[in-house]
């Protein structure tokens, strides 16, 4: 049995759902998941399906060709089709903070994540022992004012060599370049330590403390060129009081950051996220 | 244009989705919402659709007949089809507490609720002024040990006379009879002032205080014969500390109760709830 | 028995707590509540006490005089002392939205609020029936471009005549003047329909929708001259998804707004809020 | 400078606060934290203080003697006094699940926890590599039907030898004996994977799934002889829907369990928990 996931978006128009479900049925597929969303403001239709094909002769590549010819052209669809047995490859970029790294690797180890981690890149050596203890290759690529381009080329080389599908900045603390963003559009996941759009930029916990907010948050989003302004994948918050110092906020925030980032990674790896016009549709 | 909502459940089997969407397309309908769920443990398929029919000749009653003949029989479906222009009628049962009543009537007044409230029944006169100020008929039906059957008959008479579709016990404080439950299966919504299944029965805030829990909750569920054991529609919780007295819990609980009950009412009135085997499927 | 509440702040220095508790003991008082906070960044000490005095001869006014002479001068304290039997007077300013008004008046009616509402002011007549049904005087003071000063003078006259202690803007929708703010410093409570400091200003739900946030919020704060930048008293949030339209956000937001505003009102009326340097200390 | 923490409880009576704060002032201490609570139902007074003593001659042991003679006897207090420089020793008991272990050790490593972990005990070898990578001694003490007493004696020997102050069962999956509970009263912290008192005992996620709850939780509590009925230290919850399988609940629950347990450990290690009559007072 082959199981595939289909993601579609196009202009909203009648009969899309019936046409797609009919097409799948004709090809011998049984739909086990369907969800759709219409953005009525922009008049865009989004759909996610999972379908099982029992025939041993079924070929995902053939299906893609027929889908393109028969349906995608007719409705002018943008689409992606994934075979469930192929796990996406995720590169981890870290710096000195370890809480997100521990959280992701702990889940990876226990089989909770439906993905492969070919390597970890860091501009510092601090977290190498953690990578070692989880037996994941660790590449130390220092980044300075002067070697930015060189460092980036090393990163790109590794990403290409391993066929990486998406990148997770697990508190990487460096601004990634336009070039990398263009190579991985809506495929670089960042964790920002505030409830965006509040407290964009550096030192959000300091700003939250200064403003005297009663709730702090964390936001995982895709990286775009504008800082902390990319499509939001997941957010969570926790209560704070006047008794919490900045260090308390930082400590409480770590718990938010790791859970929010891991949830975003799972959503992305399970192909449950679509992006349109800088906003996400998150399927269940 | 006619807009209808379709709710289906049946044994899980291939091609249900394609068959239903195809059937609707053939009848000239455009599907604007579809969501489904498969309970893999019990092998049951659930689906909710919304569809628009532009033809002026479209008749919901005809559609129901064809649906039954063509699809329901084939797949052995249980189904319900609603026309969106027909708003469900909700009877409100209250006693002495006013917070849920104010909350529901405030929303009703502002047009937030997609339903009609033909009348309010109470075993006490305390809340009559509120009903009056919202201009909703108020029936005082006292309930004592000796007149239970008589009181219930009066209630049933009113319910039938007004063609009531579902009943909301807005802190009614009386146990409703088997007879009423049978007449309104999964159509009587109660609000229980605890996080069920913790603290079933009377005085849950007292029990929560005694146990020293750090979070209290409220639960809205359909009434079944077993006390506080019916299918759960909605729950919410809030944090408490050792500083909260029983009265504080009661006050904080009121805020939970009114929001949770109103949310459950909205889900039911918008036909987003299906019940199977004492559990709910809540569509988005 | 007389019960008083004492709020103090001053430069942090040794022996404040021992001195104050000792002073109260010497005057025959029994402390039933004490909490303190030190802002270590600004080196400011804050304390809240509740004390009971059994002696029939006890006079709060005398106590205040002695407190000022003995303690306040010594430690250079800012202080406020309240007698619990005197309930604060709260003026309600409303416009056309009714959800916060219903929520506050429902609580007021049930005895949950430790305050007196002498009147409601509105620039529109829409909510007069609600005020009438709760039997609270309603003053219609229209506000136009041309009559701003005149309207404000009428407001001030009413506020002074009734000895109002604080003002609650229950979705009043008008910017209050500098003059009013100066007369009621940290005594005008507003509800802003966003998670501040995100989405300051008009139409926050529209901005939240546009940004694609996954959580929306509401913030109650004291009004200062800078728009939506005053000390935050209380905040709460709720999850939203891509399926929620702007109208859905507005509807969900109403539930947040009313609960958050009512909580802020209770904190203020129970003298549990201190303000320092545009931030609040919220005692338990 | 010496910093001490004082925890007191006794029958509620006048002048406790003034007497204690005065006593500390006389001994040259400056109070930097004070909080108290009165359980009005049981008429019990609870207080927590932190005090700094600048005198180099200050001796915590002397202070304790004077405190006992002067204050504790007078008010019939139960009390505990801790010197802040002495970190409590925590033994970790684990079995096969690694998420709580990773979370605690990650925090321990980053300096977030104010305690010492002398060793980890497990009845299985599965988690030894994690203990090794964090360089913490790991003792494998298998537990079978036949060797329970022997295993327990080995545990007790280790606990005594290292002067362990409290024990954390990080998903240990074994019922600890009466003997151990008596040796560590309110000093054994367990994490139960449900929102207690709902779903006591084995397989709570299965029970939650069966009941169809919309929110699941985790509870950290002190171990007493009655299963899952000890004083609750911390609880948290998260939303679930009908789409979540039992395995989904287990996965979501892991995130709750690790955060709730770590929070409970921090509260205990920072001496912020008092227990009375099977309930906790949690100081801020």
């Amino acid at each position: 049995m082959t199981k595939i996931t289909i993601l579609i978006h196009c202009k909203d128009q009648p009969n899309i759902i019936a046409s797609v479900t009919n097409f799948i049925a004709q090809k011998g597929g049984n739909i086990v998941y369907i969800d759709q969303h219409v953005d009525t403001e922009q008049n865009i239709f989004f759909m996610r399906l999972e379908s099982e094909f029992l025939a041993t002769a079924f070929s995902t590549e053939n299906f893609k060709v027929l889908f393109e010819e028969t349906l995608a052209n007719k409705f002018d669809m943008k689409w992606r089709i994934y075979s469930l047995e192929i796990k996406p490859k995720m590169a981890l970029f870290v710096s000195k903070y370890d809480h997100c790294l521990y959280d992701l690797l702990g889940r990876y180890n226990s089989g909770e994540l439906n993905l492969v981690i070919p390597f970890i890149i860091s501009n510092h050596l601090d977290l190498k022992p953690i990578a070692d203890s989880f037996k994941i290759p660790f590449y130390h690529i220092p980044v300075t004012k002067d070697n930015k381009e060189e460092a980036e080329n090393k990163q790109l080389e590794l990403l290409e060599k391993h066929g990486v599908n998406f990148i997770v900045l697990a508190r990487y603390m460096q601004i990634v370049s336009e070039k990398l963003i263009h190579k991985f559009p809506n495929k670089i996941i960042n964790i920002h330590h505030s409830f965006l759009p509040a407290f964009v930029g550096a030192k959000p916990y300091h700003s939250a403390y200064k403003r005297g907010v009663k709730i702090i948050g964390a936001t995982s989003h895709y990286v775009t060129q504008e800082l902390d302004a990319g499509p939001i994948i997941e957010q969570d918050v926790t209560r704070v009081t006047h008794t919490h110092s900045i260090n308390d906020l930082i400590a409480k925030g770590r718990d938010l950051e790791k859970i929010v980032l891991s949830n975003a990674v799972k959503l992305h790896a399970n192909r449950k996220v679509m992006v349109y016009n800088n906003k996400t549709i998150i399927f269940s």
Side-chain angles (χ1 to χ4, degrees), chain A:
Chain A
M1 190 189 71
T2 311
K3 198 166 173 182
I4 63 168
T5 301
I6 307 173
L7 294 167
I8 296 163
H9 72 85
C10 59
K11 246 185 82 177
D12 191 27
Q13 51 203 294
N15 283 321
I16 311 173
I17 296 172
S19 303
V20 174
T21 54
N22 216 23
F23 175 81
I24 292 170
Q26 281 166 9
K27 304 301 168 226
N30 185 36
I31 298 163
V32 293
Y33 171 94
I34 182 169
D35 197 5
Q36 100 305 336
H37 171 63
V38 177
D39 183 324
T40 51
E41 295 226 328
Q42 306 186 85
N43 200 36
I44 304 291
F45 173 89
F46 302 88
M47 186 156 63
R48 183 179 184 277
L49 298 108
E50 292 179 10
S51 185
E52 294 170 349
F53 295 84
L54 291 172
T56 47
F58 177 82
S59 145
T60 305
E61 291 314 308
N62 282 353
F63 183 87
K64 284 183 187 178
V65 172
L66 291 169
F67 187 91
E68 174 72 21
E69 284 171 2
T70 318
L71 282 175
N73 286 341
K74 185 179 164 196
F75 290 99
D76 199 13
M77 289 172 176
K78 302 262 186 249
W79 59 273
R80 292 179 285 150
I81 294 178
Y82 301 101
S83 190
L84 228 74
E85 66 244 38
I86 301 172
K87 293 185 181 186
K89 286 185 187 163
M90 169 177 95
L92 267 175
F93 283 38
V94 299
S95 188
K96 292 184 166 188
Y97 293 114
D98 61 8
H99 53 289
C100 288
L101 183 62
Y102 268 129
D103 198 73
L104 281 166
L105 295 186
R107 290 170 202 273
Y108 184 52
N109 227 22
S110 73
E112 190 180 318
L113 303 182
N114 194 30
L115 50 81
V116 174
I117 304 177
F119 59 84
I120 296 166
I121 284 176
S122 180
N123 54 338
H124 293 287
L125 276 165
D126 305 56
L127 305 186
K128 188 172 187 305
I130 301 177
D132 292 350
S133 77
F134 283 89
K135 298 187 176 56
I136 296 175
F138 180 94
Y139 296 98
H140 178 218
I141 305 180
V143 179
T144 65
K145 271 184 201 167
D146 306 324
N147 80 340
K148 285 220 166 184
E149 205 177 327
E150 183 199 345
E152 190 179 80
N153 286 337
K154 280 189 200 167
Q155 293 172 353
L156 281 167
E157 203 181 302
L158 278 168
L159 293 165
E160 273 170 42
K161 188 179 141 198
H162 287 87
V164 162
N165 299 101
F166 71 107
I167 298 168
V168 169
L169 310 180
R171 300 297 312 273
Y172 177 53
M173 311 299 285
Q174 295 283 325
I175 290 174
V176 296
S177 76
E178 212 173 305
K179 196 170 160 191
L180 198 65
I181 295 171
H182 269 108
K183 290 241 174 187
F184 291 87
N186 294 325
K187 288 176 179 172
I188 307 176
I189 299 175
N190 186 41
I191 177 74
H192 183 73
H193 39 315
S194 86
F195 182 79
L196 288 176
F199 311 126
V200 165
K203 301 219 170 215
Y205 293 126
H206 290 72
S207 306
Y209 178 84
K210 188 150 181 284
R211 181 62 186 94
V213 292
K214 301 301 182 191
I215 290 174
I216 57 167
T219 304
S220 189
H221 63 94
Y222 290 115
V223 175
T224 56
Q225 268 170 256
E226 193 183 337
L227 185 66
D228 299 331
I232 293 170
I233 307 167
E234 171 76 332
Q235 301 189 288
D236 204 359
V237 295
T238 194
R239 291 199 168 268
V240 295
T241 73
H242 64 274
T243 64
H244 292 95
S245 65
I246 292 176
N247 281 337
D248 293 333
L249 300 192
I250 291 171
K252 276 182 87 82
R254 277 197 294 260
D255 285 350
L256 286 176
E257 293 162 26
K258 68 187 184 190
I259 304 286
V260 167
L261 180 59
S262 289
N263 282 343
V265 166
K266 281 192 276 186
L267 288 168
H268 183 93
N270 293 329
R271 287 100 179 205
K272 294 191 167 175
V273 187
M274 294 185 77
V275 176
Y276 188 81
N277 226 345
N278 211 47
K279 288 169 65 171
T280 59
I281 291 94
I282 308 283
F283 290 104
S284 62

